[in-house]
Every structure is written in structure tokens, then in C-alpha cells.
Amino acid sequence: MKVLNFGSLNIDHVYQVHHFVRAGETIGSNGYARHMGGKGFNQSVALARAGAEVYHAGCIGEDGGFLQAYLREAGADTAFLRTVDGPTGHAIIQVEPSGENCILLFGGANQQVEEAQIREVLSHFAAGDILLLQNEISGLAALLKEGAGRGMRIAINPAPMDGAILAADLAGVRWLIVNEGEGAALSGMADTQDILAALRKKYPHAAVVLTLGEKGAWYQDEKETCFVEAFHAGNAVDTTGAGDTFTGYFLAGMAAGAPVRRSMEIAARAAGIAVTRPGAAQAIPALQEVDPAGF
Ligand code: RIB
């Protein structure tokens, strides 16, 4: 089963800080590194390392060729990547000693995805193929409409959460993959069980994956509800991309036809390993390391 991930690619500028900079404050950092990232990019790397047949579509600038090369090396097909004028997207990421992060985005080329490109790329995919989306590129509404029109199974990780997501038509979505903050924003609820109940009511045809970081993750659809604990592989040094790792691995399980619980467990293990390493995409483990038995 093919997975088309139409998503962002970023250059991540990562600063180690004692605490996140506050309004009006200037602080020094204890370390700097330039990594590869973007929610779309990270999720494609996770899908590829989990063994899925993944095609990554999106836009980079002339300065983003190394992202394409890395994706290819990870095992993703990059034939649908377009190089446009202007800079590749980037992120300014602060990481505290606990591994927690905060992220400032500059969309760059990610905001140059156009409807003609969307139509052309999706014409290569068929009903039943998976279309994975996040909210870091332009054209989200067109992607949702075109994907649903073609009968693709749509998975959306509505991050970062903003007005475009709240206004989007998510009725045709098959998998809604959210963290606590995104789940709360979409449901208007704060408590985990209330979020799940409200999302069930609001999106009756969607399976909801609610990731809670150290508190584990929930899955819920029309027939099944399951919970998996977080996996502790060691001390967290950088949580950037942990959610992307979970998303990519979970969907790889779905694409492989694996049972939901197995896919959730493997996704939790992969994310648990990723947080013990610096960076986003480079921290994502291969399936062999996560569980040699595979899905
Ligand atoms: O989810 C982590 C990612 O968010 C980072 O790699 C950064 O580029 C932002 O897109």
C-alpha cells in the first residue's frame, strides 16, 4: 500500500538553552546544531525506516538539496519534490536540559505548494492509497478535497494547530493523529477522556490517535479503543520529532495491515528511542532496532 506524504521540509537550527527565552529577555545558548527536520520530512523518514512505501511531495529551495538526498537515502521516493525560488523552510528550536523543546517556524518554500502541483501529484495515486498531511505547507484545503475526491485514505497530524486547521473540512479524514494540545483545540475539552469522547462525536468516521508524551497514547475508532504506555529507552535528551516518529511508525503499521495495538506499541517504542538522541529526523530509529520481529 502506497503512502503519499505531502508535507514540509525544514532546516532545523537547534539551540541548547537553560530555559526557553521569555518576552523581553536575551539569553545565551550552550550549544548549536543544524539538523534536518520539518514535520512532513520527519514523518516520511519514520515511514521509510519503518518499511513503508512512502512518496514525499512538497517544496524546497535551492538550499534544500541535502534534504532530498537524505530522504532518498532513508528509502523515501522524492520524485514529487519541487525546487522553487526562495529559501527552504526553517525552524528555530530551543531545547531545555529536560529535552523539552519550543519551535519557531519560517515556512519558506513550504508555503509555495500550489493547487496545480497538488492535482498533478495526486493523479499518480489511487483509491485506498494513504495521503498523509500536516499543517506546515500551503494548499491544505485543496489537499483534503482532492485526496477525499480520489478516495484516498487521509491521515492528518494537525500540527501546528491554527485557524486553517480549525476551518478545514476534516470530515473525510480516516486517521486524526493529535497530541494533547491539538486534541484540546479541536474538541474544546481539556481532560483526556473528554477529548476522546468529543472527537468521536465530532469526527464519527475518523480513527483518533491521541499521543500524550510520557503518559502514553490512546487509539479510538468505531470498533476499538486501546491504550499503550510510553516506552522508556533511556534519558530524554531531545523530544523534537518524537510525535513525528510515532505518526510515521503508526501509519506504516496501518499501511502494512498490522493490528492497531501492534502498530501503537511499535510506534511508542520508536518514539521512546528517538527522544534519547539529538535532532529530529536523524534520531528516528530503523524498524530492525525498534523490534526485529517487525509489524
Ligand atoms: O515536529 C518537529 C518538527 O517541527 C521540527 O523538525 C521542525 O522543523 C518543525 O517542523
Side-chain angles (χ1 to χ4, degrees), residues 3-24:
V3 182
L4 169 64
N5 183 7
F6 219 125
S8 59
L9 304 95
N10 286 337
I11 299 168
D12 287 354
H13 298 278
V14 184
Y15 301 84
Q16 303 296 329
V17 294
H18 171 260
H19 65 265
F20 299 146
V21 66
R22 300 185 189 107

Side-chain angles (χ1 to χ4, degrees), residues 57-79:
C59 292
I60 48 174
E62 293 286 353
D63 56 342
F66 67 105
L67 296 167
Q68 180 164 16
Y70 190 86
L71 268 183
R72 246 194 243 131
E73 211 173 286
D77 188 304
T78 63

Side-chain angles (χ1 to χ4, degrees), residues 8 10 12 36-39 42 91 93 103 105 136 240-241 244 280:
S8 59
N10 286 337
D12 287 354
M36 287 159 287
K39 291 185 199 308
N42 300 337
I93 304 181
I103 301 177
L105 289 174
E136 287 187 345
T240 313
D244 300 330

